[in-house]
Amino acid sequence: MSIAFYPDGKLLASGSEDNIIRLWDAKTGAPVGEPLRGHDDGVNSIAFSPDGKLLASGSEDNTIRLWDAKTGAPVGEPLKGSLDDLRSGPAPRKDL
């Protein structure tokens, strides 16, 4: 499982072994919109772009998919290749 906060902190995205990405209202815990479907295996990495326009997801199906963070629509074709041990994490700090 992987989780990521939208840049303003009001939205949370989760990806899990059921191959689905879900968006949640971070304050209420209520689901937001429809689940994002497209991966053929578990989602183990997700991250929002710094401007909040895109959500990227990495899966055990060896793809990275981009999603429109506002509409949930897929953006472009999946990126394919070996993603062994891919995990998301915080962006590197620029002040270090």
Side-chain angles (χ1 to χ4, degrees):
M1 177 178 248
S2 181
I3 60 170
F5 278 99
Y6 188 77
D8 69 5
K10 295 179 182 179
L11 187 69
L12 179 68
S14 66
S16 62
E17 293 300 314
D18 64 2
N19 314 350
I20 297 172
I21 300 160
R22 291 177 174 84
L23 301 176
W24 310 90
D25 181 300
K27 185 174 183 179
T28 67
V32 175
E34 293 296 317
L36 309 183
R37 300 174 190 273
H39 285 293
D40 295 325
D41 208 339
V43 177
N44 54 17
S45 182
I46 54 174
F48 284 99
S49 61
D51 64 7
K53 292 181 179 181
L54 295 174
L55 175 65
S57 59
S59 169
E60 293 175 25
D61 66 7
N62 291 322
T63 65
I64 297 171
R65 292 180 179 267
L66 297 177
W67 310 87
D68 182 300
K70 188 174 257 187
T71 67
V75 175
E77 293 296 316
L79 307 173
K80 298 179 182 180
S82 177
L83 304 175
D84 292 338
D85 298 323
L86 176 68
R87 297 286 185 266
S88 61
R93 290 181 48 184
K94 294 179 182 178
D95 61 342
L96 296 178

